[in-house]
Amino acid sequence: MKKPVYMDYAATTPVDPAVADEMMKYLTLDGVYGNPASRTHAYGWQAEAAVEAARKQVAGLIHADPREIVWTSGATESDNLAIKGAVAGRKDAHIVTSKIEHKAVVDTCKWLEHQGTEVTWLDPAADGTISCDQVLGALKENTVLVSLMLVNNELGTINDIAAIGGELRQRGVLFHVDAAQAGGKMAIDVSSMPVDLLALSGHKVYGPKGVGALYVRRSPDVRIEAQIHGGGHERGMRSGTLPTHQIVGMGKAFALAQSGLEEEIDKLEALRKSFLAGLQSLEGVSLNGSESSRVPGIVNLSFDGVDAESLMLGLRDLAVSSGSACASATVEPSYVLRGIGLSDEQAHRALRFSLGRFTTEEEVAFASSQIVDVVSRLRAVR
Ligand SMILES: *Cc1c(COP(=O)(O)O)cnc(C)c1O
């Protein structure tokens, strides 16, 4: 069987071959397999040097100081560490987030809510963005943290994090940003973007799964409580033996992302244009999320009169995502699409197409022609 065309880069990316090559050097007997925490011999020193070089590469992509990077197992853990770590030990804390954050943030905030933390859940505008005024309007005396995403994983929309961060900085409220979906897709500069904590993932940026990072600002100094204890690695913020091969892979992936960033954005912009141009003969197709404030690789579309489940069945040659979740026998529509004001019915008509580094013009042309065929066919039999 021919494999379907991969259009789900927002879910995960393949590891870049150059990244895989690099990782292989840190696994076996003839490689650097020592424990980076071993201080007594060269095996440990070499592994530590590799980890520190990778820390520089990850810091480089976001213009951070390497000492501000804490290794984790992925953006889910980074979000947990940032949010729980900022709230820990604060009685009567209040936090602000939105209804369309990734589950790693939503479920962490829900858990804290059950523990007694007060949470304000902001409703985004119809274009999927959160405004500065909304955030400021939600602040209270006891607000300790605001958590918002830079790029939404289902819509591809970009929040104005710099503006929101500027206001929060003046008010002394901590700001955590989930940037898992922004890494390698847009310029990120924490030297000009006033955020305190920022989550990154390896596998969304052509690195391996199971590794991520949390940026923790040093100036002004941000304090968070560790959520995993044992050994005091990562300046006490995250214990556990560092997975050298994973870390080296994430470092290489982020270095590649940095050096090729503009080229990659241009390429994805062109592919997105071709993809949408190929759909132009179809009526009743609408783009979900902001038209202008977005990364190019994520395209979320609703098709009038066609439900996504039937459409996906027809599109067996494409690997895409619907954002819906199967809850027992029923299919729950995407909470993100519901969150931007779509009805259940409208949300059931949407699919997310996400393009990436290895997507080709041929693939997007094939995809759009398949979509035109299947949508037309489904509408004809209605
Ligand atoms: C993928 C993703 C995560 C989770 O990252 P993992 O590294 O898979 O844990 C968190 N937030 C957003 C926005 C994501 O897209």
Side-chain angles (χ1 to χ4, degrees), residues 16-62:
D16 193 285
V19 169
D21 286 349
E22 196 61 29
M23 291 175 70
M24 279 304 293
K25 300 175 191 162
Y26 296 86
L27 289 164
T28 49
L29 185 63
D30 56 349
V32 179
Y33 61 84
N35 186 329
S38 293
R39 290 282 153 81
T40 48
H41 49 68
Y43 296 87
W45 305 332
Q46 282 178 358
E48 191 196 18
V51 164
E52 294 315 312
R55 202 186 297 277
K56 248 189 190 161
Q57 290 171 313
V58 168
L61 183 70
I62 62 168

Side-chain angles (χ1 to χ4, degrees), residues 307-381:
D307 81 87
E309 300 305 311
S310 325
L311 184 53
M312 272 208 284
L313 281 177
L315 293 173
R316 279 174 211 278
D317 294 328
L318 307 182
V320 300
S321 158
S322 71
S324 51
C326 294
S328 62
T330 60
V331 182
E332 288 283 321
S334 150
Y335 68 94
V336 172
L337 296 175
R338 294 285 290 117
I340 61 169
L342 268 61
S343 66
D344 276 4
E345 213 173 38
Q346 288 169 321
H348 272 306
R349 291 176 177 162
L351 285 182
R352 177 188 72 184
F353 304 88
S354 47
L355 321 174
R357 183 172 297 168
F358 306 106
T359 305
T360 63
E361 283 285 349
E362 293 71 44
E363 285 179 339
V364 295
F366 174 74
S368 42
S369 79
Q370 289 271 304
I371 295 164
V372 170
D373 286 355
V374 177
V375 169
S376 310
R377 185 150 46 79
L378 288 171
R379 283 177 179 165
V381 299

Side-chain angles (χ1 to χ4, degrees), residues 247-306:
I247 286 169
V248 161
M250 181 165 169
K252 178 75 181 176
F254 275 52
L256 289 176
Q258 190 180 10
S259 62
L261 186 63
E262 277 163 39
E263 205 182 315
E264 195 140 307
I265 292 172
D266 289 349
K267 176 199 146 128
L268 288 171
E269 201 71 71
L271 286 169
R272 168 196 169 78
K273 269 202 186 122
S274 306
F275 178 57
L276 291 176
L279 297 176
Q280 237 158 24
S281 63
L282 271 186
E283 312 244 310
V285 181
S286 45
L287 178 75
N288 294 312
S290 169
E291 289 269 357
S292 52
S293 184
R294 57 162 53 259
V295 293
I298 301 177
V299 186
N300 193 309
L301 299 173
S302 284
F303 301 88
D304 289 356
V306 178

